Amino acid sequence: MTQVLVIVLALLIGVIAGLRALTAPAVVAWGAFLGWINVDGKWSEWVAHPITVTVLTIFLLVELVTDQLPKTPSRKTAPQFATRLIMGAFAGAVIGSAFFHTFSATGAGIVGAVLGTLGGAAVRTKLYEANNGKDRPGAFIEDLVAVGGGFLIAFLVSLV
């Protein structure tokens, strides 16, 4: 049962990576730092280091700002999509490492990133249309879902 829950959480953190690529690694780093994700003595232990958490948090904040810019490329372009897959894989692997399920959680993170990327783009388009061509409200909603959902997922790891 534990393995199933770990895979589901890795899939969900992958969805977060699909919404905001750098949010997923930042929230798992915070989860590790706060002790929600047990990385002690595992390959992923470095993720909980304060320097790692600080750098990833800065990346998260920069991403939240750059996403608001009109010239930011679509998440579905090859470099953007690939980045989301890699970040979903990484964040899933960190969650999986807490339970010695790194490889299956990596795959789940990738699948989640695909779902988050495509689903997030579709929802964002609907919000854009519903707001008469204004993208900012949808972007803010997506930011809240990504950051809030990411932290919730990281916390839920501690309950497994």
Side-chain angles (χ1 to χ4, degrees):
M1 183 63 172
T2 299
Q3 184 174 5
V4 172
L5 292 173
V6 171
I7 298 306
V8 168
L9 291 170
L11 178 86
L12 292 173
I13 203 67
V15 170
I16 299 301
L19 298 177
R20 294 284 178 274
L22 299 172
T23 298
V27 297
V28 296
W30 271 103
F33 178 75
L34 295 170
W36 298 342
I37 302 171
N38 181 8
V39 294
D40 291 339
K42 301 181 177 89
W43 68 265
S44 53
E45 188 171 32
W46 62 274
V47 174
H49 193 279
I51 292 173
T52 306
V53 174
T54 300
V55 169
L56 290 174
T57 300
I58 292 168
F59 287 164
L60 177 150
L61 295 172
V62 168
E63 179 181 42
L64 293 178
V65 170
T66 59
D67 182 64
Q68 306 296 321
L69 302 176
K71 295 197 182 216
T72 301
S74 166
R75 71 184 84 205
K76 295 190 291 184
T77 63
Q80 298 286 336
F81 203 107
T83 299
R84 291 164 196 277
L85 296 178
I86 292 165
M87 295 300 111
F90 172 73
V94 171
I95 288 175
S97 73
F99 303 92
F100 303 101
H101 295 300
T102 298
F103 294 111
S104 55
T106 301
I110 293 169
V111 171
V114 171
L115 296 173
T117 301
L118 299 177
V123 170
R124 183 91 169 253
T125 299
K126 294 285 184 191
L127 289 170
Y128 176 81
E129 292 166 356
N131 287 299
N132 300 315
K134 295 178 188 159
D135 190 48
R136 195 154 285 174
F140 285 133
I141 291 169
E142 192 172 10
D143 290 345
L144 288 172
V145 169
V147 175
F151 274 102
L152 176 62
I153 293 162
F155 173 73
L156 290 174
V157 173
S158 70
L159 303 178
V160 175

